[in-house]
Amino acid sequence: MKSLTDYYTLHNGVTIPCVGFGTWQTPNDEVGITSVKTALDVGYRHIDTAAIYGNEVSVGKAIKASNIPREEIFITSKLWNDDHGYEATLRAFEESLKRLDTDYLDLYLIHWPNPPKFRDKWEEVNSATWKAMEELYEAGKIKAIGVSNFRPHHLEAIMAQAKIVPMVNQIRLCPGDLQEETVEFCRKHNILLEAYSPLGTGKVFDIPQMQFFEQKYGKSIAQICLRWSLERGYLPLPKSVTPSRIEANADIFDFQLEERDVEDIANLTGACGFGGDPDLKTF
């Protein structure tokens, strides 16, 4: 990967820019619009949002204000937990399109596999949800479909009934939180791994070993983490509303990590904590 517009190719042939601009916790106001517009100005062409983030409107406004042709920007959104099921998925998708002010999505994900509302029948409901997403995909309203926070047993349940294997699984991947079983399963089935919280929700900045690498490479800890993510074959989704950090997070293509350092960073087990069990989430 040599630039923000280099890409991974999904198993259906769709290309996806190798770094995405995350918008979790980004407000739905001028701050949100400005941050996404700044990211696009810096060179990002991949914007990741979700219905539950509450900022799809500002993401859409920023994309319009950028004057960049829609087809040059890869937009991801996600289906929230209350809207699982066939009919609810179709409605929620259309609502996301309206908020984003676009007529198609590049990627649509099931945000979580097993919300409490459907916990006693999550497999059945996920299959109905996936059927709706397959239909939207086949109708050309979504270029690619996938999931988020799914572990192997969730993926197996979807795939047992699916016509289309998920193209993406967006999970928490950062130094010391590798989700190795899920990563191995996804790679076996050619499912691209997107890394949310690639900086360990900020915990990575307190790790002494990362401070050593910062000195060694002359790069910030954030830049080292994002480069590490790419070298592991993930697609990182850094998030910021600070213009200088948005720009710095894009400056990760003029250096490489030594293979030993990639392994050492991977082996910082638990240093950034771990993502919780999706089967036990209370939302």
Side-chain angles (χ1 to χ4, degrees):
M1 301 298 178
K2 300 280 198 310
S3 74
L4 287 171
T5 53
D6 280 359
Y7 55 83
Y8 292 104
T9 301
L10 303 177
H11 68 64
N12 67 336
V14 166
T15 57
I16 178 171
C18 65
V19 179
F21 183 70
T23 62
W24 179 54
Q25 295 183 326
T26 297
N28 193 47
D29 56 17
E30 286 302 318
V31 171
I33 294 169
T34 300
S35 66
V36 174
K37 178 73 163 45
T38 299
L40 292 167
D41 289 344
V42 164
Y44 286 89
R45 292 296 181 268
H46 176 177
I47 309 297
D48 182 273
T49 185
I52 194 62
Y53 297 173
N55 57 22
E56 288 173 312
V57 169
S58 57
V59 168
K61 287 180 177 178
I63 288 168
K64 282 286 195 297
S66 74
N67 292 318
I68 298 167
R70 168 67 183 89
E71 62 271 16
E72 293 181 17
I73 302 174
F74 192 102
I75 305 174
T76 299
S77 195
K78 308 179 193 78
L79 177 77
W80 186 238
N81 296 347
D82 293 339
D83 295 318
H84 287 204
Y86 180 81
E87 295 292 346
T89 297
L90 296 176
R91 285 194 301 270
F93 173 77
E94 292 297 335
E95 288 165 5
S96 281
L97 284 190
K98 287 176 187 173
R99 289 189 291 266
L100 286 160
D101 193 17
T102 186
D103 56 4
Y104 73 96
L105 285 181
D106 296 277
L107 178 62
Y108 198 44
L109 307 177
I110 302 175
H111 207 150
W112 289 90
N114 190 3
K117 182 177 178 180
F118 304 107
R119 191 146 289 164
D120 61 340
K121 54 179 180 178
W122 65 268
E123 292 156 298
E124 172 191 340
V125 174
N126 279 354
S127 289
T129 299
W130 193 251
K131 183 173 185 282
M133 290 173 67
E134 288 177 327
E135 289 182 9
L136 291 165
Y137 169 75
E138 289 171 341
K141 292 194 141 191
I142 315 171
K143 301 288 186 185
I145 51 178
V147 297
S148 181
N149 297 295
F150 274 51
R151 293 188 173 175
H153 64 286
H154 304 124
L155 286 161
E156 286 170 342
I158 283 265
M159 289 161 61
Q161 305 294 325
K163 292 190 292 182
I164 301 167
V165 174
M167 294 144 194
V168 168
N169 190 10
Q170 185 180 123
I171 61 176
R172 188 181 194 267
L173 290 167
C174 57
D177 188 5
L178 306 181
Q179 298 210 50
E180 290 174 306
E181 184 183 0
T182 300
V183 166
E184 181 181 357
F185 183 95
C186 289
R187 287 182 170 154
K188 178 180 176 182
H189 294 279
N190 201 18
I191 299 169
L192 179 68
L193 292 150
E194 291 189 334
Y196 75 74
S197 296
L199 310 181
T201 59
K203 295 183 179 70
V204 73
F205 299 107
D206 299 325
I207 301 172
Q209 294 97 315
M210 294 305 299
Q211 293 161 15
F212 165 78
F213 292 130
E214 184 176 37
Q215 296 297 317
K216 176 175 178 176
Y217 288 98
K219 286 286 188 176
S220 72
I221 289 174
Q223 289 166 331
I224 290 165
C225 278
L226 297 173
R227 186 71 216 181
W228 173 84
S229 196
L230 286 177
E231 293 187 19
R232 296 275 297 185
Y234 313 147
L235 192 160
L237 299 164
K239 174 263 174 182
S240 181
V241 296
T242 306
S244 60
R245 289 179 183 163
I246 293 170
E247 186 168 2
N249 287 345
D251 184 21
I252 58 173
F253 297 98
D254 60 351
F255 75 109
Q256 279 188 289
L257 301 173
E258 294 176 13
E259 188 173 337
R260 181 183 64 183
D261 294 339
V262 172
E263 286 304 308
D264 285 347
I265 292 169
N267 290 331
L268 294 168
T269 306
C272 294
F274 297 102
D277 185 340
D279 289 320
L280 301 177
K281 293 294 182 182
T282 58
F283 46 77

